[in-house]
Amino acid sequence: MEKADVIPSIVLSAHALARFAAQDAGNEAPSAQWRALSILEQKGGMRIGELAIAARTTQPGMTRLIGTLELAGLVTRTTDPADTRATQVHATDAGLAHLAEWRAEMRDTLAPRFAGLADEEWIVLQRAAEILAAHAQETTTTGEAE
């Protein structure tokens, strides 16, 4: 097995865990909602097209999602300071609180699956999470982190 062969396993396992967490918690919110709010939390305000690209969805799909999130008070639209003809989407305080609640719900729902881990295994998972987070940053075409 090549070293890089572990990467698809990590990605697929992460997707499965997120799916289990949503199912086990009975959370019916679309994963795109959490993805969009997470991106807005990390990057701040973005145009809908930029957010759609970052979330790997279509612009019409993101427009519909943002409309739903705006009605729920989880995002707001403002004029883009770089182009007053355009708008930016921002997560609201309520949206960020909702995201934090979802993360806590995911943690609490999945915790029993990891209850039998030894302290050494938790240390390995913590280090793996740090490594994954560092490599999950967007990169430029030169491979350097932005």
Side-chain angles (χ1 to χ4, degrees):
M1 176 189 215
E2 297 290 321
K3 289 179 182 177
D5 289 341
V6 75
I7 296 169
S9 177
I10 291 168
V11 171
L12 293 172
S13 295
H15 283 290
L17 285 171
R19 207 171 45 252
F20 294 148
Q23 290 169 350
D24 292 353
N27 188 313
E28 296 182 10
S31 60
Q33 170 179 309
W34 307 121
R35 193 168 42 253
L37 286 170
S38 293
I39 292 167
L40 291 171
E41 176 188 47
Q42 293 169 358
K43 296 182 172 276
M46 301 177 76
R47 290 183 179 188
I48 289 179
E50 295 170 329
L51 183 56
I53 291 168
R56 297 186 42 99
T57 190
T58 65
Q59 185 162 343
M62 184 58 69
T63 299
R64 283 189 299 277
L65 177 63
I66 293 304
T68 301
L69 296 178
E70 188 174 31
L71 285 174
L74 304 179
V75 300
T76 187
R77 298 179 208 222
T78 62
T79 301
D80 185 339
D83 181 354
T84 57
R85 298 169 296 167
T87 60
Q88 284 190 339
V89 178
H90 299 267
T92 63
D93 289 343
L96 296 177
H98 203 58
L99 180 61
E101 289 168 10
W102 170 74
R103 288 178 176 154
E105 179 181 56
M106 183 175 25
R107 178 200 63 219
D108 295 345
T109 300
L110 291 175
R113 292 178 179 264
F114 296 89
L117 294 183
D119 288 345
E120 297 80 25
E121 291 170 309
W122 281 109
I123 291 169
V124 169
L125 286 179
Q126 181 175 357
R127 182 63 185 132
E130 291 166 356
I131 292 167
L132 292 171
H135 291 276
Q137 301 301 312
E138 289 188 49
T139 57
T140 62
T141 54
T142 61
E144 296 177 16
E146 289 183 337

